[in-house]
Amino acid sequence: MRAADRLVAETVRRGGPWLAVLAVTSVLGAFAQLALPLVLGRTVDELVAGGTGTATWLGACACVVILTVACDTLGVWASGSSGARSSAWLRERVVRNVLGIGPAVTRRFPEGDLVTRMGLNTEEIGHVPESLVTGAALVIPTAGGIVALTLIDPLLTATLVVGLVLIALVLRAFLTVSTAIAGDYQAAQSDIAARLVDALAGARTIAAAGTADRERARVLTALPLLRRHAMAMWRANARAGVQAGAVVPLLEVAVLGVGGLRLAGGDLTAGELYAAARYVVLGAGLGSALGYVGRLARARAAAARVDELVAESPRSYGTRPLPPGPGTLELRDVDAGGLHEVDLVIPGGQAVAVVGRSGAGKSLLAAVAGRLVDPRHGTVHLDGVPLPDLSREALRRAVGYAFERPVLLGGTVAAAIALGADAPAPAPARVLGADTGPGPGRHSRRRTGTEKAARSGDGRTGQPDGNGEVVRAAARAARADTFVRRLPLGYDTPLQEAPMSGGERQRLGLARAFAQGRRLLILDDATSSLDTVTERQVARALSRELRDRTRLIVTHRVATAAAADRVIWLDGGRVRACGSHHTLWADPAYRAVFQAGAS
């Protein structure tokens, strides 16, 4: 738990100026509570004695009460503000780290578990500043009560200290037990969330199979376990509450009994006995820290889970730019999980197909080639530069990815295509612009939002002037321009208002890769949902407009492999052969790769 406690402490420090306000109001409120018994006791003595200072002490009482109320009010505001600031800082740190790690993090943590850790668990940690500051402020009345009782009568102090030791032991045991139970409870929550995310991803399959009831039972498998942990937490809280609650009245009775004897002996006044009774209540108020201890226990358990995300180092980048070159890709003795001893040189400007049976390592090779995954051993070079030495900007502008199931990000269709292409070079735009596909003249003459942005730079698509043409040219090369122009606002149509088929999403994913990758295009089964005609048109664009870029194409289609300059045949994570499709076709085992169901 040491790493978790360090994360909790760092989160507390990020509470901002409101944390200082909370600390000040908590301390002032504690001292106000400490002063109230004193002024009340003096007021009682003045009333009993019929002195002339009664009005003064009544005024002091009013001032202390007003100060207490003001501190409580401002403390509530400061608590919420500091907690929100701490939670925001922690969430930003976790999200930045997770995205920096890349796809590797989803292999270790299911998506639903990640969402729970980054959402619910960080929120629980965000409550720590309030719990620590407010809970720590309870020490002031306790310490003040001990001091005040000592001044009144040391015998009363000894009675109070015995009770406080018992309360402290109860709180310590409760913190230990609650931390363990809270960790189990949060793990069960994550299990349900992970199963739910999987079910939502397969909602169509579940509906088609008619297995909703069975799937609901699978999602809620951990619900009985969650209930057991919740009941264990409730029992631990109730047990500690009863133990601490039993100590407080017994302690008050003991102190009042001792004080009564001292009063009868003439060693205490009535006002001092009243003040002593109030100070006992304040001193025993340490027992009310049970709620804060419970929050701290949940936060420590959550911090242990969140720390697993922030403990992993995000992928680091170098500072080197990419020198001029054709896009030559070299993999030297690469070993990366399912890949073993891969040595490849892919000349710049070539179209290379990667084929193999399911599980052969095709997608992993594509991920390693563009540094979505770093190899455990070996190096990958682009035009002679090791990929880790390149700056983030140089690497991501040079490499464009398209996936089988692309996720479209951005406010509009144009923004989704231009994602990552912040400052495109003019040369690729000119090459893509030479496409012979249908242009604006063959369709509606209406100017889309992207065309207006390209001319006026109004930025509604989030792109500078030069990106409008790049977006349209990339869409034409991916054969997406036609259906995009039929959308209500063309390229400026919000994504949520642009219903698309799987093939249309793939075409936008291809367009995004074409707009971004200036030197290397990696297509991971990115045309699997396209019809035959559209796939041939995209293949024609890859061999014409995009022929100046190196193309690494993961595929299971014979036509795609046949159109490539070279074929890399993977088998069991190793390169079984490398050559032209025509040459490899003579091998029956190679032909079997393309048989129905083989891939």
Side-chain angles (χ1 to χ4, degrees):
M1 296 298 296
R2 291 183 179 178
D5 289 340
R6 286 195 295 269
L7 181 60
V8 168
E10 180 66 17
T11 304
V12 171
R13 287 195 293 270
R14 299 290 178 167
W18 281 108
L19 183 59
V21 174
L22 177 61
V24 171
T25 55
S26 298
V27 171
L28 286 178
F31 277 113
Q33 294 178 18
L34 198 58
L36 188 58
L38 173 63
V39 295
L40 284 174
R42 294 300 299 271
T43 303
V44 170
D45 284 342
E46 288 291 331
L47 289 172
V48 171
T52 58
T54 303
T56 302
W57 286 107
L58 284 174
C61 287
C63 291
V64 171
V65 170
I66 292 173
L67 178 61
T68 301
V69 172
C71 287
D72 287 345
T73 303
L74 189 57
V76 170
W77 184 278
S79 172
S81 299
S82 62
R85 188 183 183 96
S86 298
S87 298
W89 170 82
L90 184 57
R91 281 202 181 101
E92 182 180 354
R93 178 182 176 185
V94 173
V95 171
R96 186 189 305 115
N97 207 69
V98 167
L99 295 179
I101 295 170
V105 72
T106 59
R107 295 191 179 97
R108 182 179 174 188
F109 304 101
E111 293 175 358
D113 183 28
L114 281 173
V115 171
T116 302
R117 292 174 190 249
M118 291 189 289
L120 183 61
N121 292 157
T122 56
E123 181 69 21
E124 289 175 317
I125 302 172
H127 290 307
V128 169
E130 175 200 358
S131 301
L132 281 181
V133 173
T134 310
L138 293 176
V139 176
I140 296 176
T142 300
I146 294 175
V147 172
L149 283 178
T150 303
L151 296 175
I152 295 173
D153 194 320
L155 189 58
L156 300 179
T157 304
T159 308
L160 176 61
V161 168
V162 172
L164 292 179
V165 170
L166 295 176
I167 294 175
L169 291 176
V170 170
L171 293 178
R172 180 180 178 182
F174 177 65
L175 176 62
T176 302
V177 172
S178 296
T179 300
I181 297 175
D184 295 336
Y185 182 86
Q186 291 162 358
Q189 281 182 316
S190 288
D191 181 74
I192 293 176
R195 293 170 185 266
L196 179 59
V197 169
D198 290 341
L200 293 175
R204 289 188 299 179
T205 301
I206 294 169
T211 58
D213 292 339
R214 187 187 311 169
E215 190 62 21
R216 181 169 59 251
R218 186 190 72 84
V219 170
L220 299 178
T221 298
L223 192 58
L225 183 62
L226 187 72
R227 181 181 182 277
R228 285 200 298 272
H229 293 320
M231 292 300 295
M233 178 68 77
W234 181 86
R235 284 192 294 268
N237 190 78
R239 183 167 54 250
V242 169
Q243 291 170 347
V247 171
V248 173
L250 291 176
L251 184 58
E252 292 179 6
V253 170
V255 171
L256 286 175
V258 174
L261 293 175
R262 302 291 286 172
L263 176 64
D267 297 318
L268 291 179
T269 66
E272 288 175 333
L273 179 59
Y274 177 80
R278 293 291 301 170
Y279 281 124
V280 170
V281 173
L282 287 177
L286 189 63
S288 64
L290 195 64
Y292 300 114
V293 172
R295 289 186 189 180
L296 181 59
R298 293 192 295 272
R300 293 179 75 222
R305 292 167 49 78
V306 173
D307 184 68
E308 292 181 332
L309 301 181
V310 300
E312 293 193 30
S313 300
R315 185 183 294 110
S316 60
Y317 292 86
T319 58
R320 294 180 60 179
L322 195 62
T328 300
L329 183 66
E330 301 175 64
L331 288 81
R332 302 175 181 173
D333 194 23
V334 166
D335 183 282
L339 293 178
H340 309 285
E341 300 176 356
V342 176
D343 277 293
L344 289 171
V345 177
I346 300 176
Q350 279 200 354
V352 178
V354 181
V355 304
R357 294 178 180 271
S358 178
K362 303 185 297 295
S363 293
L364 184 55
L365 176 64
V368 169
R371 213 194 166 204
L372 289 184
V373 174
D374 284 328
R376 294 184 302 188
H377 180 267
T379 57
V380 182
H381 295 72
L382 182 60
D383 282 328
V385 181
L387 295 188
D389 292 351
L390 290 172
S391 67
R392 183 196 303 267
E393 294 75 15
L395 178 63
R396 294 310 167 207
R397 290 174 183 173
V399 182
Y401 270 99
F403 303 99
E404 179 182 6
R405 297 180 181 87
V407 175
L408 303 178
L409 304 173
T412 64
V413 172
I417 296 174
L419 185 71
D422 308 293
R430 287 196 297 269
V431 172
L432 286 171
D435 181 24
T436 57
R442 300 189 181 184
H443 299 281
S444 170
R445 299 302 300 174
R446 176 190 61 187
R447 273 197 275 172
T448 66
T450 300
E451 290 174 311
K452 297 175 183 177
R455 299 187 185 189
S456 63
D458 65 11
R460 282 197 294 168
T461 61
Q463 305 304 321
D465 292 354
N467 264 17
E469 177 56 31
V470 172
V471 166
R472 296 192 300 276
R476 289 196 294 269
R479 296 307 183 264
D481 181 75
T482 302
F483 84 82
V484 170
R485 288 181 179 276
R486 287 198 296 263
L487 295 173
L489 297 176
Y491 285 89
D492 214 31
T493 303
L495 282 175
Q496 66 270 22
E497 299 177 13
M500 288 176 280
S501 65
E504 289 170 338
R505 295 181 69 87
Q506 275 199 342
R507 279 184 270 175
L508 288 186
L510 287 165
R512 180 173 60 196
F514 297 165
Q516 180 179 6
R518 306 178 187 177
R519 201 167 299 192
L520 173 62
L521 295 175
I522 299 177
L523 313 184
D524 188 357
D525 210 12
T527 60
S528 57
S529 297
L530 302 185
D531 59 82
T532 303
V533 173
T534 303
E535 185 184 18
R536 288 178 180 174
Q537 292 173 339
V538 172
R540 188 180 304 116
L542 287 170
S543 62
R544 293 181 181 178
E545 298 97 278
L546 304 169
R547 63 182 178 274
D548 61 327
R549 312 181 195 187
T550 305
R551 291 139 286 159
L552 189 67
I553 307 169
V554 175
T555 184
H556 62 272
R557 293 187 176 181
V558 176
T560 304
D565 299 314
R566 297 172 64 195
V567 175
I568 297 172
W569 177 15
L570 293 180
D571 189 8
R574 300 178 184 275
V575 178
R576 179 164 177 175
C578 186
S580 69
H581 173 78
H582 177 75
T583 302
L584 296 176
W585 191 255
D587 189 333
Y590 177 78
R591 295 197 298 272
V593 170
F594 300 97
Q595 292 176 356
S599 60

